[in-house]
């Protein structure tokens, strides 16, 4: 089994910054893509950003230029630096990883961390 543990969420004022972290642990042979999704109340879960093992990145248009995803492959960790936060960024943020766990390739999710942007 593989576990993803997120941290770094919280309450921040508009214009502020937060940094989310997600560490993967367990029976990991290899991690392919790692990324972040978010889900606001009453809305579907949506991609925020992801990063392949080779370094290719993809961002949702609404966060381009404000958010940066990075990975530490040696530590099986992915980060999301969020700058110039807006109330519309308020959501539960979920870490996602495509993992080869010695038996099969599966997608795992973290438990989610709340980000609230409000004055």
């Amino acid at each position: 089994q593989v576990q993803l543990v997120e941290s770094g969420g919280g309450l921040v004022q508009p214009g502020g910054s937060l940094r989310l972290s997600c560490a993967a642990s367990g029976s990991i042979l290899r991690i392919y893509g790692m990324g972040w999704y978010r889900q606001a109340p009453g809305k579907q879960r949506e991609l925020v950003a992801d990063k392949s093992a080779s370094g290719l990145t993809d961002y949702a248009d609404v966060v381009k230029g404000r958010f940066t995803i990075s990975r530490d492959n040696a530590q099986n960790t992915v980060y999301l630096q969020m700058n110039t936060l807006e109330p519309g960024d308020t959501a539960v943020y979920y870490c996602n990883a495509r993992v080869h766990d010695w038996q099969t390739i599966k997608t795992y999710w973290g438990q989610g961390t709340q980000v609230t942007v409000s004055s």
Side-chain angles (χ1 to χ4, degrees):
Q1 272 292 350
V2 174
Q3 298 80 40
L4 302 181
V5 179
E6 300 131 334
S7 61
L11 173 64
V12 63
Q13 292 187 343
S17 298
L18 282 175
R19 188 188 193 214
L20 305 182
S21 301
C22 171
S25 63
S27 301
I28 298 171
L29 175 61
R30 181 178 179 183
I31 300 179
Y32 297 95
M34 296 188 82
W36 292 92
Y37 286 70
R38 68 186 183 186
Q39 187 166 19
K43 295 187 177 181
Q44 290 188 331
R45 190 174 297 189
E46 63 179 4
L47 173 70
V48 177
D50 65 24
K51 193 174 183 80
S52 71
S54 63
L56 296 176
T57 58
D58 188 25
Y59 293 93
D61 288 342
V62 293
V63 307
K64 284 181 180 176
R66 300 188 297 123
F67 291 10
T68 302
I69 188 170
S70 59
R71 281 177 65 166
D72 182 338
N73 291 331
Q75 298 296 322
N76 292 332
T77 300
V78 64
Y79 305 95
L80 185 68
Q81 178 66 43
M82 305 185 292
N83 298 328
T84 319
L85 282 159
E86 304 168 353
D89 296 317
T90 296
V92 178
Y93 284 70
Y94 296 92
C95 175
N96 163 286
R98 189 82 172 151
V99 179
H100 189 175
D101 63 3
W102 293 92
Q103 294 182 341
T104 187
I105 299 175
K106 292 173 59 177
T107 297
Y108 290 88
W109 292 90
Q111 79 284 359
T113 185
Q114 177 70 46
V115 172
T116 302
V117 184
S118 175
S119 55

